Amino acid sequence: DKLLKSDGKTPYKTVTIGGKVRMAENYEATTDSNGKPIPLAKDIASWKNFTDQKLPARCYYNNDSGTYLKYGPLYNGYALEKLAPKGWHVPTKDEFKGLVAAIKNGRNNILAQEISNMLRIARKEPAAGENPLLYWGGNTDTDTDKTDSSGFAAFPAGWLNTTPEFAGSTLGTRFWTITPDTNSSDLYFFSMVNNTTEFGSQKYGYSVRLVKN
């Protein structure tokens, strides 16, 4: 019953928070739920071409899969509708609010930074050959305050905005929700900068963490 990665063998790590089984690493599908390939944009021009046509697309940070493969791909909003396999779904805005509420656990005076630290992958010195970019602050910051006590294990995958340009690697991450903004064609996303839901253009590229049905 476990969700497997695209190699067909390795199960995704999961964690139960707030009564929901959530992925504890970024989704990395190359096809949608019907088996149709999600095109890989290999440069900004091709990303823009896909998004201008409102077509699904994915890319890697800085168009560099070699360095950023462990982050998983960034998807545009047009890829979300058919992204999740059977038994899973792209979370709603409220499901991310539930994540934060579960971390708070009734402590309304808890600082946003402390919530972030409980959600962020814990810092440890990379083993030989291991990619330091998986850790907040890159390879120059001890980051001992990132405890990942929740087990959510968010890492700073950055994002692609609509300029379009890449931003936020080693500093932040944004996760798509499936919830639309009522006044536009934008979708809400969850920002790990301040643990809030905001909305952005479907032309943006963000990470995805699925939730079990």
Side-chain angles (χ1 to χ4, degrees):
D1 192 31
K2 288 186 176 179
L3 182 59
L4 300 178
K5 296 185 179 182
S6 48
D7 64 6
K9 296 181 290 187
T10 311
Y12 282 98
K13 296 173 186 172
T14 60
V15 62
T16 302
I17 304 173
K20 300 275 185 180
V21 178
R22 306 168 187 270
M23 289 178 59
E25 50 190 327
N26 291 356
Y27 195 47
E28 55 175 52
T30 58
T31 60
D32 68 17
S33 56
N34 296 325
K36 184 179 179 181
I38 302 167
L40 177 66
K42 295 182 178 178
D43 53 43
I44 289 293
S46 57
W47 177 270
K48 195 169 185 305
N49 184 47
F50 287 124
T51 56
D52 285 350
Q53 297 181 71
K54 300 184 178 180
L55 295 173
R58 60 191 172 92
C59 70
Y60 289 97
Y61 193 89
N62 274 352
N63 301 124
D64 179 359
S65 60
T67 304
Y68 295 95
L69 189 66
K70 284 190 176 182
Y71 280 163
L74 303 172
Y75 295 95
N76 67 12
Y78 306 113
L80 301 181
E81 185 182 353
K82 297 178 181 177
L83 186 62
K86 187 177 180 181
W88 294 79
H89 61 274
V90 177
T92 63
K93 179 175 85 166
D94 285 345
E95 283 175 318
F96 271 110
K97 286 186 173 181
L99 171 71
V100 173
I103 299 299
K104 283 185 173 181
N105 197 22
R107 296 170 296 167
N108 289 326
N109 61 341
I110 191 171
L111 297 174
Q113 185 64 52
E114 189 177 344
I115 296 169
S116 288
N117 290 343
M118 293 168 72
L119 291 167
R120 298 181 193 206
I121 194 166
R123 171 75 189 181
K124 62 176 186 282
E125 286 305 315
E130 191 172 21
N131 188 348
L133 290 168
L134 281 177
Y135 305 101
W136 296 85
N139 203 16
T140 59
D141 187 343
T142 54
D143 264 350
T144 53
D145 56 346
K146 314 293 190 279
T147 64
D148 191 30
S149 57
S150 67
F152 189 71
F155 43 79
W159 55 85
L160 177 59
N161 66 30
T162 200
T163 308
E165 63 184 10
F166 292 97
S169 174
T170 78
L171 299 173
T173 193
R174 295 173 176 178
F175 297 108
W176 276 121
T177 85
I178 202 68
T179 304
D181 171 45
T182 51
N183 298 314
S184 69
S185 60
D186 293 352
L187 293 173
Y188 278 89
F189 64 89
F190 178 73
S191 171
M192 280 289 298
V193 175
N194 48 12
N195 317 305
T196 58
T197 50
E198 306 164 30
F199 53 85
S201 168
Q202 293 189 59
K203 295 182 178 184
Y204 290 7
Y206 296 151
S207 301
V208 171
R209 292 283 181 100
L210 301 179
V211 173
K212 198 169 186 181
N213 293 353

